Amino acid sequence: MTGSGINDVLLSRTRNARVLHESGIRRPPLGKTSRVADELGNELAEVVGAAHVLTDPDTRADYETDWTGRFGAPSRLVVRPATTHEVSAIVRICARHRAPIVPQGGNTGLVGGGVPRSGQVLLSLRRLAAVSAVDPIGRRLVAGAGATLAAVQRAASAAGLEFAVDLASRDSATVGGMVATNAGGIRVIRYGTMRAQLLGIEAVLADGSVVSRLSAPAHGNGGYDLIGLLAGSEGTLGVITRVALRLVPAETERAVALIGVDSTAAAVRIATGLRGLTVIDALEIFYADGLALVRARSGLRRPLESEWAAYVLAEVAGAGAEMRLGSALAALGLDDVALAVAPDDRRRLWSYRETLTEAIAAEGVPHKLDVALPLDQLSAFVAAVVPLVASYSAAARCVLFGHLGVGNLHVNVLGFAKDDRRVDDAVLRLVADLGGSIGAEHGIGAAKRDWLRLTRSAEDITAMRSIKRALDPHELLNPGVLLPPAD
Amino acid sequence: MTGSGINDVLLSRTRNARVLHESGIRRPPLGKTSRVADELGNELAEVVGAAHVLTDPDTRADYETDWTGRFGAPSRLVVRPATTHEVSAIVRICARHRAPIVPQGGNTGLVGGGVPRSGQVLLSLRRLAAVSAVDPIGRRLVAGAGATLAAVQRAASAAGLEFAVDLASRDSATVGGMVATNAGGIRVIRYGTMRAQLLGIEAVLADGSVVSRLSAPAHGNGGYDLIGLLAGSEGTLGVITRVALRLVPAETERAVALIGVDSTAAAVRIATGLRGLTVIDALEIFYADGLALVRARSGLRRPLESEWAAYVLAEVAGAGAEMRLGSALAALGLDDVALAVAPDDRRRLWSYRETLTEAIAAEGVPHKLDVALPLDQLSAFVAAVVPLVASYSAAARCVLFGHLGVGNLHVNVLGFAKDDRRVDDAVLRLVADLGGSIGAEHGIGAAKRDWLRLTRSAEDITAMRSIKRALDPHELLNPGVLLPPAD
């Protein structure tokens, strides 16, 4: 699919936001807060213009709830700057008012890290959407934080290059948010996460100062890695305003295979086998229950001759892609396989995987737990997590899919109230017990910070907290996100 | 070459160190310092054993001067732990005594970042040299900070994989030091620097606490990127004790071309052309003067039919390497080219490039300035830097070579006293004027910190200093390195 599916979901954001507002989570504004908000709003309006300070609950609603409908709360106001200079001025004003800020990109986040927890200033970066000309020699471009992934991809393609990260929400997700969460996506196995694409960054720190490392040459390297530190810091150390992104050569040949397997263990064996035989661009997994949801919603036909317990989707790119993928499949002795080379055929195979998110969301508000396991524990995890979730409720369902090649699974749990965190607790503890990580490509956010101690030691969290205190001593930037509450 | 050349140089370290000691730089120990050193030494000896606390000037000498002979001073003592636990105990003891520490790996650094400035405790990590078994599924291994690059390469090869970073000092350089300086090497154009190889890290912080991120799965991602932050921090934020390193598939086919060119501009055109045609593993440049030094020292024959102003060395790896490189060279219409496929032939071509460092060092104590330029400024830089250096002294010589593909040049200046920094200043200002970076793969160290402001803004340095203060409030770890002196 080309993103239209996810856009259907995104269009329903307003509905979700209304539900939240009507559900009573919205707190009545206190007199004092209201008056201060007016002063703050007036000062911010002088910076960005009154039209870009949203105080009316209806106009704010789209920004205040994440698209799954699980996370969100009313903001104090929404402010929409258009330049780095305006972001800096906003942060200085908020610092003076001690008004906490939640930075937001395309609001496609899944861990409650980009929506208010209660009454923060919501700083929308979407208007910082400029994409520079491509530098074909340096193979880079500079994009505003609010540029969508699709806009960056289009700019790269127009110059005969590609941007290496791709994910299903490409038409809505912004590069600023993707850097802030260190997003991965479907090609992470070949090219790494967003952090690996960063050649430079510009960010506004908590005191309003602007740190810029946009112009350095690709291999320039002096001083601490502020670029990598801001990547994945989920808006808690600085507001990312622009990024310099590396581009990679465009691959003209591609081949995609959908492979039926009878177990997770078989999928891991195939994944390892394929990687040993050729360079793989994408290596995904989904299961029979997810396929059933997708087919029921989309009307897509059965993809393979037989029904299988699980499906592996593999993509190879570059010279001889079809031959390389075909030989690798033959060498592994795989039989029930659909192989696609023409763009439409490849898109059709991908649609089984890419419409899953939408199909799951149509069933209710999922608890989405994005985790990573060592590959040799993936099978044990899958075998344990399904009965574990079922043990909490007869109505519970657990739909799994993910980036097989890097052990990154998305655990989608349906059938629990939004605030019922028992199942989150059980699943994340299982991950930790198996040597996994409770976060992979969505960030920690507000959703998982209470469990960060499962996989980060006290010394590690102390070090992170020291860095947070050093750069944001008044907890102005995205409080309540990433770092666990103090003991 | 296989590193024997550089080892000749390293064997002469003792001589250099003696020269330094005899030159009068060594300060006579003060009564008070001496007594405190005894207490400190006794406490450290309880941790590591008396045999691993070196206080005698002769046994310390090898650790106290860098191998070029430009940097170094006597230490307070040298301590040689064997485990992370011992490192932690040493740091706690030094913290109590407020005794500053200089961590050191293989002492192959080039910016004075791993040798004492005056009387610090030298913490040698060489005994932490264990290399774990290779995990073939996760494609990783865990190495102690003191493991040499060659030891890591051997372990990877034995498992049918490769370690992606390679550089000429492979038999002496340790992975801890390479991570601390974020070393690049000859394959950075394909695989990135050391930071890009890091799947995990274990480090002792300034309070003696141990932060470990060794066991997380490859794609695990939760919290600030302490791994990337410690990489390139040059021992100022923590003492790296172990690293988990990603491995890449072994390439069985390789082809190397040495190409004569008449200018830097032509070299850049060829580099860009080759990269547009195929994936390149290495893309190096050196000049006629460097070749003359190498040939005079080694007796190697003229590599190409004609003499050229500059030489580009390109390596391609993987399926069809010879064909891919050959076609790319033909497409670019290059004629005076030596192409090598057999291992011995490839090694011979590489020897022109890899013995350069040694040949330059044989001429005197060079000022080694490792810088990066945007590719479109490389030619302007080379045209300007040679007369600039010559303008300071008739005896001055400027030998250039480097990693062409990423704009990383090593500027070797001969004919200046060790402490005469006028030429360093002039060259680094030229780099900054052309939009380059004053550091690339050697670190900033003590050598270049006074110029960091040329390419890092006041806001950037303030942010870095805040992080340093947060993690090392008493300036225990490698003071005088990386961060510029306070205004």
Side-chain angles (χ1 to χ4, degrees), chain B residues 457-477:
Chain B
S457 69
E459 292 82 358
D460 193 310
I461 288 170
T462 298
M464 290 196 277
R465 210 185 290 286
S466 300
I467 292 169
K468 168 70 172 174
R469 209 178 297 120
L471 294 179
D472 183 18
H474 303 297
E475 301 231 24
L476 191 75
L477 298 177

Side-chain angles (χ1 to χ4, degrees), chain A residues 213 221-222 224 236 440 460, chain B residues 213 221 224 236 275 440 456 460:
Chain A
R213 291 194 182 177
N221 183 18
Y224 303 148
T236 65
D460 193 310
Chain B
R213 291 195 182 177
N221 183 18
Y224 303 148
T236 65
R275 288 194 72 194
R456 295 282 182 237
D460 193 310

Side-chain angles (χ1 to χ4, degrees), chain A residues 137 139 182 188 193 195 213 219-222 224-226 236-237 272 275 372 408 437 439-440 456 460 464 466 470, chain B residues 139 182 188 193 195 213 217 219-222 224-226 236-237 272 275 408 437 439-440 456 460 464 466 470:
Chain A
I137 305 295
R139 286 185 182 167
N182 193 22
V188 74
T193 62
R195 188 180 283 129
R213 291 194 182 177
H219 198 46
N221 183 18
Y224 303 148
D225 182 25
L226 297 183
T236 65
L237 299 180
T272 308
R275 288 194 72 194
N408 176 194
S437 168
R456 296 281 182 237
D460 193 310
M464 290 196 279
S466 300
Chain B
R139 287 186 182 168
N182 192 23
V188 74
T193 63
R195 186 180 283 129
R213 291 195 182 177
H219 198 47
N221 183 18
Y224 303 148
D225 182 25
L226 296 183
T236 65
L237 298 180
T272 308
R275 288 194 72 194
N408 176 194
S437 167
R456 295 282 182 237
D460 193 310
M464 290 196 277
S466 300

